[in-house]
Structures are given as structure tokens and as C-alpha cells.
Amino acid sequence: MTRAVAVAAAATVWIGRDGEVTALLAVVLLSALLSPLTMPTTLGLLGHVLPSPGHTRALVDGAAGQARALLTGAVALPCALGLLARRCVPAAVSGSLLPWAPLVAIAAMLALTYVNATAAVPVLRREPWTVAALCAAVGWGVCRLAFLVGSLTARLLRLPPGAGATVTLACGMSNVSVSTVVVVQALPGQPHALLVALVYGLAQKVSARRAVAKGAAVPFGDPARAASRPESAVRTLSRQKR
């Protein structure tokens, strides 16, 4: 379910000045506007595909409608209003506000990170360490798999580093704050699912930093581009010495 919600807006914080910020922002907005359709559809499929008791399936089906209302009011509608406001605000006003946007984005990302982390405390106190470790492994593994898919896609398409980072972040970054709310609604009394989503949020921040630091993708068959990057040159020199 975490992968069905919108791409996290925090991805634009990680992309950096060398990335395709405009393209990534477009992906974030498009996924946000489509999330009232994608998330309820995913919940509906889970309710019919996963082997589960009848009452659990009914809860999941009911949560699909709640998720649609939540995502429409808390995700899609604010994005649409933001786009409208950007078009209506005079250029002089928007120009004075834009320099503060990075600082506000970073502060919001930090606040959401710590707020999400507090939800894990009751789960960790109640569940045995083996269950918590298994949930953490699942959340971390799913997140790393999403980033790996994005990185491999960028390499197969032979994208330049900036575009590759955009594709990688778009595949791996997910709005964990919204997904945790949906998980709680869809699976009440199932803290394991909540813990998986929270670990995903932690893993994606680590993975995003690594993806941006490495340029996310060095196209296959392009040794000149690879050699132009310091870390790639070091790895190449190490292999030659061996």
C-alpha cells in the first residue's frame, strides 16, 4: 500500500541542484492528483486477492472509500489549490516567497520524519523483537527494491545522471505520512503493517541520499561519463590494480 500513494514531495528536497527538479516536481504533482484513484484501487485489489478472513476483507473494502476521501481532501485538493494559487499570485509576490521554499520544505520533511517515528514507539513496546525485526526487514527490503528498480530503469534507458536520479527517486520515494494513515484505517489492530510503512520511510531517506550522491545512474557503455565522476574513477582504478 505504501507504494500506491503519491510520490513523496520530499523527493524534491533530495534531488539537488544537478537533478531534473522540474521533471520530478511534475511526477510528484501528477501522482498526488491521481492518488485518490490509485490507492483505493490497490486496497480493493488487496481485499479480493489476499487470503484473509471475511471481516478483514470487509475492512479493507471499506477503507478504500475512506482512503479516497482522505487522499482527495488532504493530497489532491491542496495540490490543485497550490497550482491555482501559483498562477494567480503576482510575480513580485511569488518571487519574494520562492527563496524561502527550500527552508520550508526541509523543515516540513524533518517534522514529518519525527512525527512518523513517534508512531513506532507503542508498536516496538508491544511486539516481540523478532516480529519487529521481521517487519523492519520487509519494509527495508521493499524500499530498497523500489530504488533498485528505478536505478536499473535509468541505466537501461541510458539516462544522464540528473534524469537518472529523478527516475530513481520517483520510483523509491513514497508519501509515508499518508500511507501510515491509510494503513491504520485499512488494518486497525495490525501494528505490523504500520511498522513496515514506518521503516519504509526511514529506508527511503537513506536510499535517497545514496541515490543522489551516486548520481543514481551511469549509463551502460558510456565509460567517458563514468570516468568523469570521482567515485566511478576510484572504483575503476581499484579494479585495474587488482
Side-chain angles (χ1 to χ4, degrees):
M1 284 188 290
T2 302
R3 288 304 317 143
V5 297
V7 177
T12 58
V13 177
W14 291 105
I15 191 62
R17 62 184 178 182
D18 297 327
E20 302 288 342
V21 180
T22 302
L24 184 57
L25 183 58
V27 172
V28 171
L29 291 174
L30 181 61
S31 64
L33 294 174
L34 292 177
S35 61
L37 299 176
T38 57
M39 178 58 106
T41 301
T42 303
L43 287 172
L45 291 175
L46 289 175
H48 291 86
V49 173
L50 295 179
S52 57
H55 69 279
T56 302
R57 187 175 297 110
L59 287 174
V60 173
D61 291 339
Q66 298 177 5
R68 183 178 293 107
L70 171 68
L71 293 170
T72 300
V75 179
L77 185 59
C79 286
L81 293 176
L83 292 173
L84 179 61
R86 182 66 178 87
R87 299 280 294 183
C88 298
V89 173
V93 177
S94 62
S96 63
L97 294 177
L98 285 178
W100 295 94
L103 180 60
V104 173
I106 293 175
M109 183 182 69
L110 288 174
L112 288 174
T113 299
Y114 284 105
V115 169
N116 288 333
T118 58
V121 176
V123 179
L124 294 175
R125 289 178 177 176
R126 182 169 43 181
E127 299 297 323
W129 72 267
T130 52
V131 175
L134 179 60
C135 293
V138 171
W140 195 278
V142 171
C143 180
R144 291 299 301 150
L145 179 61
F147 274 89
L148 179 61
V149 170
S151 180
L152 292 177
T153 301
R155 293 190 179 194
L156 291 175
L157 295 176
R158 299 178 181 272
L159 298 177
T166 299
V167 172
T168 304
L169 292 175
C171 289
M173 297 293 288
S174 180
N175 195 324
V176 176
S177 299
V178 174
S179 65
T180 52
V181 175
V182 176
V183 166
V184 171
Q185 290 181 338
L187 300 173
Q190 298 293 329
H192 315 94
L194 177 61
L195 185 58
V196 170
L198 293 174
V199 173
Y200 189 105
L202 173 63
Q204 75 177 2
K205 292 174 177 57
V206 177
S207 301
R209 178 67 184 89
R210 293 179 58 185
V212 174
K214 294 180 179 179
V218 176
F220 291 136
D222 193 350
R225 187 183 297 276
S228 66
R229 313 215 12 237
E231 62 270 23
S232 299
V234 171
R235 287 196 295 268
T236 303
L237 181 61
S238 300
R239 286 196 294 268
Q240 290 175 351
K241 287 182 178 181
R242 295 196 190 106

